[in-house]
Amino acid sequence: MSVVVPHRAISLVSESKNPKQAIIDTIGDLSGVDVLFNMVLIGTYIRPNVTKGGIIRPDANVQEDVWQGKAGLVLKVGPNAFVDDTDDSFYGQRVEIGEWCVYKVGDAWSLNINNYPCRLVRDSSIKLKVKDPNIVF
């Protein structure tokens, strides 16, 4: 089975000086997308194609962030996300739209929205909020 990799979207984000804005611009209008229950929609973070040390990452390495990337940008939050229930207590902690977060790849459902790689994650599967997604490998 062949796999479709959104090359254009990956290039736009990995070459951008502002990856947050690049993800938002690439995905575009999400007004027709409603996230349900306690789920969180996350735009997958694609690390820069050139490292801080100037090493150019091969395309295959950059594309691997689509499948194994652990950080992403919160795009939408379901109406019951981060609401305490019998299974989970959040102690007031939550993520907001526009924040970077970290999750376990195996806990996320992979999908493309407007030809950009995203993840749908249960609220309790988000494990960290970070200011800079580059600190996560």
Side-chain angles (χ1 to χ4, degrees), residues 7 47 57-67:
H7 295 285
R47 292 176 291 150
R57 295 173 57 212
D59 287 345
N61 185 268
V62 173
Q63 291 172 15
E64 192 62 25
D65 287 346
V66 171
W67 316 116

Side-chain angles (χ1 to χ4, degrees), residues 10-11 25 27 30 45 57 61-62 64 68-69 76 78 82 84 91 99 101 105 108 116 126:
I10 291 170
S11 294
D25 292 346
I27 289 178
L30 290 175
Y45 175 63
R57 295 173 57 212
N61 185 268
V62 173
E64 192 62 25
Q68 295 300 321
K76 283 209 159 187
F82 304 101
D84 293 347
Y91 305 100
E99 291 184 314
C101 67
V105 174
Y116 189 83
I126 295 174

Side-chain angles (χ1 to χ4, degrees), residues 18-69:
N18 185 347
K20 182 183 286 190
Q21 193 60 52
I23 291 171
I24 291 168
D25 292 346
T26 302
I27 289 178
D29 181 23
L30 290 175
S31 63
V33 176
D34 290 325
V35 177
L36 305 178
F37 308 111
N38 62 344
M39 303 302 284
V40 178
L41 179 63
I42 299 170
T44 304
Y45 175 63
I46 308 296
R47 292 176 291 150
N49 61 350
V50 179
T51 68
K52 289 181 182 180
I55 297 171
I56 298 172
R57 295 173 57 212
D59 287 345
N61 185 268
V62 173
Q63 291 172 15
E64 192 62 25
D65 287 346
V66 171
W67 316 116
Q68 295 300 321

